[in-house]
Amino acid sequence: MGAYISYIYLFIKNRLATNNINMKKYLLSFILLTLPFLSSWAQQIQNVQAHAEKNKVIITYDLITSNQEQKFNVELRSSINNFTTALKEVEGEVGPDQSAGIGKTITWHALREQGNFSGSVSFEVTAEITYSPLLVTNPTKGSKAKIGKSLDVQWQGGDRGRNLKMAILQGTTTINEVQNVGSSGSYIWPVPKTLAKGDNYQVKLFDPTKPKDAAMSAQFQLKKTSVIVYIIPGVLAAGAAAYFLMSGDGGGEGPVDCTTNPTHPDCVTVIDDLATPPPPPSGGN
């Protein structure tokens, strides 16, 4: 997860007093900065504004996202404590489970939290994604995995830090389950050798506490692992020799005199072409 941050610099010329608060005269200026967030959905904080009302500061902002199902944890920090912790005396559209929207409002009760104060203060508004709908990004449509090998299952979204469960479906039938694939967005699945090859496999990811929010991958194919057989030429030659010896090519003529007929098939010795050649038959030239 990541965060979008907007900075509001509010320069207050009046003193915050415990009794009569008068903040009608103030100098207000903004600087809006947005930090990048790596995601398939774009979101940002826009149109940040602030003004003082007696002992309060009203901050409005727009939280824009392309996926309206996302949830955010919105916090307000200030330079008073060097942005180390979020301000506590706040209300409105701040805190966990905030949705995107236009004209969202945070009210900071300055006097209640800070007491007497004089000088300038800068505010920091953060919106961190805490939930996005699950989206399986791998396997993709038409991709292939090999039985007995591994498949890198990848996804985005889900509740932050909550472990997910994975099921493998062939058609509508669950044929394999993994009880815990973590929450990192990636899981290396060893494809069982017991599975059959086919074209209609899918990955199903879901939070066990929210099974209805499951995400399905595109259909992918399971293939058998290829077996490569190396054939040594010498082995073929030896096989050919065995064939000749078993079939016999004497034609029923009886024993052949290899001294006088060394080229007869019964007299030819087929050897491994990788071995050292034997000496010629006795009596040969």
Side-chain angles (χ1 to χ4, degrees), residues 77-98:
R77 300 170 186 260
S78 78
S79 59
I80 295 175
N81 60 6
N82 200 28
F83 309 103
T84 55
T85 58
L87 296 174
K88 297 179 180 179
E89 296 296 334
V90 293
E91 63 182 13
E93 291 167 297
V94 62
D97 296 324
Q98 298 299 317

Side-chain angles (χ1 to χ4, degrees), residues 147-221:
I147 298 170
K149 300 297 183 178
S150 295
L151 173 64
D152 185 9
V153 179
Q154 298 180 8
W155 69 90
Q156 295 174 346
D159 285 311
R160 182 177 55 184
R162 187 180 292 277
N163 293 330
L164 300 177
K165 184 176 179 179
M166 184 177 79
I168 305 299
L169 279 66
Q170 186 176 28
T172 58
T173 303
T174 299
I175 60 171
N176 185 261
E177 288 188 338
V178 180
Q179 297 301 317
N180 187 349
V181 297
S183 60
S184 66
S186 178
Y187 177 77
I188 304 299
W189 176 52
V191 183
K193 295 181 179 179
T194 55
L195 298 186
K197 65 178 183 178
D199 297 323
N200 58 339
Y201 283 93
Q202 285 182 285
V203 170
K204 178 181 178 181
L205 280 177
F206 59 97
D207 181 340
T209 65
K210 302 176 181 179
K212 293 183 179 180
D213 295 336
M216 301 290 292
S217 75
Q219 289 191 352
F220 65 99
Q221 181 183 23

Side-chain angles (χ1 to χ4, degrees), residues 13 23 27 40 44 76 80 100 103 128 165 206 219 234 258 277 283:
K13 299 179 66 175
M23 295 181 63
L27 176 63
S40 63
Q44 55 184 309
L76 179 65
I80 295 175
E128 182 178 12
K165 184 176 179 179
F206 59 97
Q219 289 191 352
C258 292

Side-chain angles (χ1 to χ4, degrees), residues 46-47 59-64 93 101-106:
Q46 298 178 347
N47 194 29
I59 300 167
T60 59
Y61 65 96
D62 299 339
L63 179 53
I64 308 300
E93 291 167 297
I102 305 298
K104 301 175 76 67
T105 302
I106 301 175

Side-chain angles (χ1 to χ4, degrees), residues 47-125:
N47 194 29
V48 181
Q49 301 182 40
H51 65 276
E53 292 183 0
K54 296 183 178 180
N55 59 345
K56 300 181 294 186
V57 176
I58 310 299
I59 300 167
T60 59
Y61 65 96
D62 299 339
L63 179 53
I64 308 300
T65 179
S66 59
N67 191 310
Q68 297 300 315
E69 296 183 56
Q70 289 178 325
K71 297 294 183 181
F72 300 84
N73 182 42
V74 177
E75 291 185 342
L76 179 65
R77 300 170 186 260
S78 78
S79 59
I80 295 175
N81 60 6
N82 200 28
F83 309 103
T84 55
T85 58
L87 296 174
K88 297 179 180 179
E89 296 296 334
V90 293
E91 63 182 13
E93 291 167 297
V94 62
D97 296 324
Q98 298 299 317
S99 300
I102 305 298
K104 301 175 76 67
T105 302
I106 301 175
T107 299
W108 178 48
H109 297 276
L111 180 61
R112 190 186 305 170
E113 179 157 359
Q114 187 58 34
N116 291 337
F117 176 79
S118 179
S120 63
V121 59
S122 55
F123 296 97
E124 175 185 281
V125 178

Side-chain angles (χ1 to χ4, degrees), residues 231-251:
I231 301 176
I232 302 174
V235 175
L236 289 177
Y243 171 78
F244 283 123
L245 291 175
M246 288 187 294
S247 63
D249 197 22

Side-chain angles (χ1 to χ4, degrees), residues 246-260:
M246 288 187 294
S247 63
D249 197 22
E253 299 176 356
V256 178
D257 186 353
C258 292
T259 302
T260 59

